[in-house]
Amino acid sequence: MLPPPGPARLVFAIALVVAVTTFAIAAGLARVDHSARTETTQNWLSGIRAEATVAAESLSGDMRHLSDLADALVAELESGTLPTDRIESRLQAMVGAHPYVFGVGVMFRPHAYAADRRLYAPYIVKRNGQHRLVWVDEVYDYTHPEHAWYHQGTTHAGWLEPFFGQASQAMLALYCAPFRLPEPQRRRPELETDGTVCIDYSIEDVWALVGALDLGDTGYAMVVTDQGTFVSHPRRDYVRQGLTLLDLAERLDDPSLRQLAEQASDEQRGTIAHTSELTGQASWIFHDPIAASDWTLAVVAFIDEIPLDRARHKYRQILITIALVVGASGLVVLLVAYRLGSEPVLWSGSLAIAVLFLLGVVNIWALEFAEVGRDPPGAVMLVDRAGIASYLDDYVEESRLQRLGDPLRVPTGIYLESIRFETPHDFVVTGFAWQRYRRPDQDHLTRGIFFPDSVPEQDVREELYRFRDGDHEVVGWFFKTTLHQPSDHSRFPIDVKTLRLRIWHPDMTRNAVLVPELSAYRLIHPTALPGMKPGFRLPGWQLERSFFAYRFHDYRSDFGIRGNALMGGFPELTYHLTLRRNITDAFISNQIPLFVAAIMLFAMLMIDTREQARASLHGFNTATVLATAAAIFFIILLAHIDIRSRYATEQIMYLEYFYFITYFTIVAISINAFMLTASNDLPFFHYRDNLIPKLLFWPLLHGAFFVVTVYVFL
C-alpha cells in the first residue's frame, strides 16, 4: 500500500530507491570482500599444499634413487659379478659416478668375508666435501646389540630410524639391504645372509631440501618416520636427541600433534587444523607420506601469515557500513512517509536516523580496534622456537654469503615492572633483562645489552647476578630507561599504540643475534602478556598483547665498522607491548563538555519560537541566544586548547573534528535564531514554528560525526 499522492508519495519513492540501491551495494561489496579473502586464503593454502607435495615427491625420489643404488650393489654381490676382493674399488666407482651420495658401505657378518678376518666393513663417506674410505670395523664393533642398523640390515631391506653415525660423525638416515653371496664364495653356509649393504642419506641434505620450502616468515616443515622420530625439524636438537612427535605432543599436551603422529604412523595424507595452547597461534598442518620410505613430510603454515589485503578489507567494510547506514535511514524515511503529518512519527524517525549514524560510528571504531590483533608493520611475532629457527634460516644463509660467519645466538629475556608516560612521545620503563652465553664458544662476547632508543642521561642499568648454569653463563640486570618513540595521535581517542623496546647487543663487531628465551616464560601466548608483571595496570590504557618480534632493518650504514652485520638485513630483536586506549576514560574526560554543549544547544533550539507568549515565557530573544552561544563557545574552546596542549601533535586529531562540528553547530543555532525572527516568510525556518531545524538537529549532528569518522578511518 502506497502513501497518498503528493509529497508523501514522492518521499516514499525516493527513500525506496535509496534503500534498495544502497542495500544492493552493501550486498555486492560484502560478496566481493568475502570472495577476495576466500580466494586469497585458498590460493595460499593450495600453494603451501603444492609445496609440501612437491617436496615429498622430491624427497621420495632421492630416497628411491639411493635405495636403488644399494639394491643394485646387492644384486652384483649376489650374482657374483662383483667379487669380494673388488668391493672397495666398486664403492669408489659408485661415489665417483654419484658424488651426491653421502656414504655407502658393505658390512660383512663375522668371518663371512674371510675365515681369518672376523669383521670387514669398507665404508666411503663424505667429509669436508671429499669422499674418504674408512673401515667401520676399525672404529667400533658394529655387531654389538646396540647397533640396530646392522642387525636390521642383515635381516631385511628398508630405511632405518635416524641416528648419529660414529664412523661418519654425522646424523644419518640409512637404507640397508641384506645380501647373500653365491654358494662358491660363502664362508659360512649356515648363515641366512652374509652381510648388509648400507647407503646414507645425510640429514643435512634433508634439512636443506625442507628448508628451501617457501612457507612464510615463521612457517616450517618437519619430516618424521613411521615411529614418529624426527628426521628434520627447525629445532635440530629434536633430531639429535632422537625425540619423537608423540613425545613432543605429550610435552605440550597437544591433541593435534597426537593426531599427526597417528596419521604419520599410518602413512596417511591429510590436513589438520591446529591451535597451539601455548602460543595461541592458529595454523594448518599439511602432511604427505614419502612413498620411498615410511616417512612423512609435514608442513606447518600459520594462518596469521595469509597474505590478506587487510587495508582493502577494512576499506570495503567501511563502505559496507556507509551503505547499510544510508539504506537503513532510507527505510526509516520510507516508513515515516506514511504519516508525514504526525509530529510523534517525525520525531521517532529523526531519533532513529540519529541512532543509525551513531551505530555506524561505533562499527567503524570496532573495525579500527580490530587492529589490536595484528602484527606491527615490518615485524614478525615470535612465539614459537621452531618458528624462530625457521625465520632465521634465511639470515644464516645470507651471513655465510657475506662471509660474516654463522650468527652467534644469545638467548635474551625481558620482564617489565612499570611504564610511565612522561610526554606523548616519551615513556619511562623499568624492569629486568637477562642473557645466556654459551661457554666456551661465546666467551669472547661482551656481556650486556643496550636500547638504541633510550635517552642517554636517563638510562640506568645495574647488574644483579652472574652465574654458571651448566655450559652457559647467565647474566641479569635491572634497568630503568626513558625511550623516545614518536606516536601518531591523529586517531585519538580511537587509537592503538605499540610500545617497542628495541634491544641490541653492545658487541657490534660480532655477528651477535639476540633470540628471545621463550622457555623462561610459563605462557608465551601474547594475550597472556609474557614478560609483564602480573596485575600490571597503565592508567588510560588497556593492555592487549605482549610479545617478542624481529624487525629486519637495513641501517644503510656500517657505523664505521667494515663488514658489520647491521649493514644488511639484520634481525633486530624487539619487545612489543600493544595498548588500546581506554575509550571510556577518554570520552568521559574529553567528550563530556561536547555532550553537555549539544544538550544545551538543542534546548536553545527547542525554545526558539515566533509565538510571543511562548517567547515571553522562556525569555527567548535573539540577543539571549547569541550570548548563550558565545558562552558555550568559549567553554568548548578552552577544552579544545587543553587537549592540543596535552598531546602536542602537529596533526589534527580525530577528537578535534567533534569540536569543529560543535563550533559549526553553535554558529548554526545562532543563525537559526536570527532567521526565525526575520519578517520575511522563510518556510524552512517558519514551518510549524521551526519544526524542520528541530527535527534535523540530532540526525545532522550525528551524521556529521559519522562523516568525519569515515574520513579519518577510511
Side-chain angles (χ1 to χ4, degrees), residues 410-465:
V410 182
T412 302
I414 291 290
Y415 185 88
L416 300 187
E417 283 282 338
S418 67
I419 297 175
R420 184 182 76 255
F421 287 103
E422 286 199 332
T423 73
H425 305 291
D426 296 281
F427 60 96
V428 179
V429 58
T430 63
F432 302 93
W434 65 90
Q435 292 183 315
R436 287 182 175 270
Y437 291 89
R438 189 172 61 253
R439 302 194 64 181
D441 300 349
Q442 296 178 351
D443 283 351
H444 60 286
L445 282 179
T446 303
R447 274 45 173 164
I449 59 172
F450 75 95
F451 310 117
D453 290 333
S454 64
V455 178
E457 297 80 8
Q458 302 176 39
D459 187 21
V460 178
R461 195 158 301 112
E462 177 184 348
E463 183 174 317
L464 297 178
Y465 53 82

Side-chain angles (χ1 to χ4, degrees), residues 50-374:
E51 286 262 347
T53 301
V54 170
E57 291 175 351
S58 176
L59 191 55
S60 179
D62 290 348
M63 298 179 74
R64 185 179 291 109
H65 181 65
L66 289 174
S67 62
D68 288 346
L69 291 177
D71 291 340
L73 195 57
V74 168
E76 292 178 23
L77 286 168
E78 292 187 336
S79 65
T81 56
L82 176 59
T84 55
D85 59 353
R86 293 182 55 195
I87 289 177
E88 295 173 22
S89 60
R90 178 67 181 91
L91 296 178
Q92 293 281 9
M94 177 180 286
V95 297
H98 307 284
Y100 50 83
V101 172
F102 184 79
V104 60
V106 179
M107 293 73 182
F108 279 82
R109 301 184 80 162
H111 302 292
Y113 176 75
D116 59 348
R117 183 164 184 173
R118 180 174 178 271
L119 298 178
Y120 176 71
Y123 174 57
I124 294 183
V125 64
K126 187 180 291 185
R127 288 185 179 174
N128 300 322
Q130 299 292 327
H131 283 101
R132 297 180 181 179
L133 176 63
V134 298
W135 281 265
V136 179
D137 51 294
E138 294 182 0
V139 178
Y140 63 94
D141 188 342
Y142 53 82
T143 63
H144 284 177
E146 65 267 21
H147 301 299
W149 63 268
Y150 163 76
H151 297 286
Q152 179 178 325
T154 55
T155 57
H156 62 273
W159 287 92
L160 286 74
E161 296 289 294
F163 68 98
F164 183 81
Q166 297 181 32
S168 61
Q169 290 296 297
M171 287 297 299
L172 301 174
L174 206 62
Y175 174 84
C176 293
F179 66 88
R180 180 185 175 95
L181 296 173
E183 291 302 327
Q185 298 182 25
R186 302 198 70 202
R187 300 291 183 268
R188 298 185 62 185
E190 75 278 8
L191 298 176
E192 287 292 327
T193 61
D194 293 295
T196 181
V197 172
C198 294
I199 195 164
D200 302 336
Y201 195 171
S202 171
I203 297 297
E204 290 286 348
D205 293 338
V206 179
W207 286 342
L209 186 148
V210 170
L213 297 176
D214 183 11
L215 305 174
D217 290 321
T218 56
Y220 60 91
M222 52 187 169
V223 178
V224 295
T225 68
D226 61 332
Q227 302 300 315
T229 305
F230 284 108
V231 180
S232 174
H233 192 280
R235 292 288 307 280
R236 299 190 176 187
D237 53 315
Y238 290 175
V239 181
R240 297 189 180 99
Q241 294 169 7
L243 193 71
T244 68
L245 188 57
L246 198 57
D247 293 336
L248 186 61
E250 294 297 332
R251 180 186 298 179
L252 301 178
D253 192 21
D254 194 322
S256 296
L257 291 183
R258 290 193 195 98
Q259 182 183 356
L260 176 61
E262 293 170 0
Q263 295 185 4
S265 66
D266 295 335
E267 299 180 50
Q268 298 180 23
R269 182 178 191 266
T271 303
I272 299 173
H274 176 240
T275 300
S276 172
E277 295 293 332
L278 185 62
T279 69
Q281 285 186 300
S283 62
W284 288 100
I285 303 177
F286 304 98
H287 56 93
D288 282 277
I290 299 170
S293 65
D294 297 329
W295 296 359
T296 294
L297 171 69
V299 167
V300 180
F302 294 102
I303 292 176
D304 287 341
E305 294 193 2
I306 298 176
L308 298 172
D309 191 339
R310 299 184 184 276
R312 294 294 299 174
H313 170 66
K314 179 182 172 184
Y315 178 79
R316 294 191 194 102
Q317 289 296 312
I318 292 178
L319 291 181
I320 291 170
T321 301
I322 295 171
L324 290 176
V325 168
V326 174
S329 300
L331 283 180
V332 171
V333 174
L334 183 148
L335 295 174
V336 170
Y338 284 96
R339 298 187 62 186
L340 281 180
S342 171
E343 280 198 26
V345 171
L346 292 174
W347 276 111
S348 298
S350 172
L351 294 176
I353 292 174
V355 169
L356 287 172
F357 281 125
L358 184 60
L359 291 175
V361 170
V362 172
N363 185 63
I364 294 176
W365 290 352
L367 291 174
E368 183 63 19
F369 280 139
E371 299 285 322
V372 173
R374 294 191 198 170

Side-chain angles (χ1 to χ4, degrees), residues 365-633:
W365 290 352
L367 291 174
E368 183 63 19
F369 280 139
E371 299 285 322
V372 173
R374 294 191 198 170
D375 292 352
V380 176
M381 186 167 62
L382 306 173
V383 294
D384 182 87
R385 283 182 286 179
I388 294 171
S390 175
Y391 187 61
L392 287 177
D393 280 347
D394 290 340
Y395 178 71
V396 171
E397 200 62 37
E398 185 66 24
S399 293
R400 290 171 180 171
L401 291 175
Q402 295 184 17
R403 299 181 180 178
L404 298 172
D406 287 344
L408 302 171
R409 306 187 188 196
V410 182
T412 302
I414 291 290
Y415 185 88
L416 300 187
E417 283 282 338
S418 67
I419 297 175
R420 184 182 76 255
F421 287 103
E422 286 199 332
T423 73
H425 305 291
D426 296 281
F427 60 96
V428 179
V429 58
T430 63
F432 302 93
W434 65 90
Q435 292 183 315
R436 287 182 175 270
Y437 291 89
R438 189 172 61 253
R439 302 194 64 181
D441 300 349
Q442 296 178 351
D443 283 351
H444 60 286
L445 282 179
T446 303
R447 274 45 173 164
I449 59 172
F450 75 95
F451 310 117
D453 290 333
S454 64
V455 178
E457 297 80 8
Q458 302 176 39
D459 187 21
V460 178
R461 195 158 301 112
E462 177 184 348
E463 183 174 317
L464 297 178
Y465 53 82
R466 182 187 295 245
F467 63 90
R468 292 288 297 272
D469 182 16
D471 58 352
H472 288 82
E473 181 179 33
V474 182
V475 186
W477 302 269
F478 169 81
F479 66 87
K480 177 181 180 181
T481 186
T482 299
L483 302 176
H484 178 72
Q485 184 176 311
S487 300
D488 179 10
H489 294 283
S490 62
R491 298 182 176 184
F492 173 83
I494 313 300
D495 53 352
V496 176
K497 184 189 290 288
T498 299
L499 302 184
R500 188 176 64 245
L501 187 64
R502 301 166 60 203
I503 312 168
W504 284 17
H505 192 275
D507 199 344
M508 297 173 63
T509 61
R510 309 283 184 178
N511 189 12
V513 175
L514 304 184
V515 297
E517 191 184 22
L518 300 181
S519 60
Y521 303 96
R522 184 179 303 172
L523 285 176
I524 54 177
H525 192 306
T527 58
L529 302 178
M532 297 297 299
K533 177 183 177 181
F536 185 91
R537 293 289 183 271
L538 189 59
W541 294 91
Q542 182 70 38
L543 278 67
E544 296 290 337
R545 303 193 306 166
S546 65
F547 56 92
F548 288 95
Y550 273 138
R551 296 172 67 245
F552 271 101
H553 191 74
D554 187 352
Y555 295 93
R556 302 182 183 181
S557 171
D558 61 8
F559 299 90
I561 307 169
R562 299 298 178 259
N564 186 357
L566 296 177
M567 190 65 175
F570 186 77
E572 177 186 79
L573 182 64
T574 58
Y575 179 77
H576 288 258
L577 182 61
T578 304
L579 308 173
R580 177 173 60 84
R581 193 180 295 277
N582 191 326
I583 190 171
T584 303
D585 291 348
F587 269 88
I588 288 176
S589 59
N590 296 292
Q591 288 287 77
I592 289 297
L594 297 181
F595 177 74
V596 172
I599 295 293
M600 293 180 65
L601 291 171
F602 181 67
M604 290 169 56
L605 183 62
M606 291 299 293
I607 65 174
D608 285 355
T609 180
R610 289 173 60 87
E611 298 178 6
Q612 293 296 327
R614 289 182 58 195
S616 300
L617 179 64
H618 295 295
F620 167 75
N621 59 61
T622 304
T624 302
V625 171
L626 293 177
T628 306
I632 294 174
F633 169 76

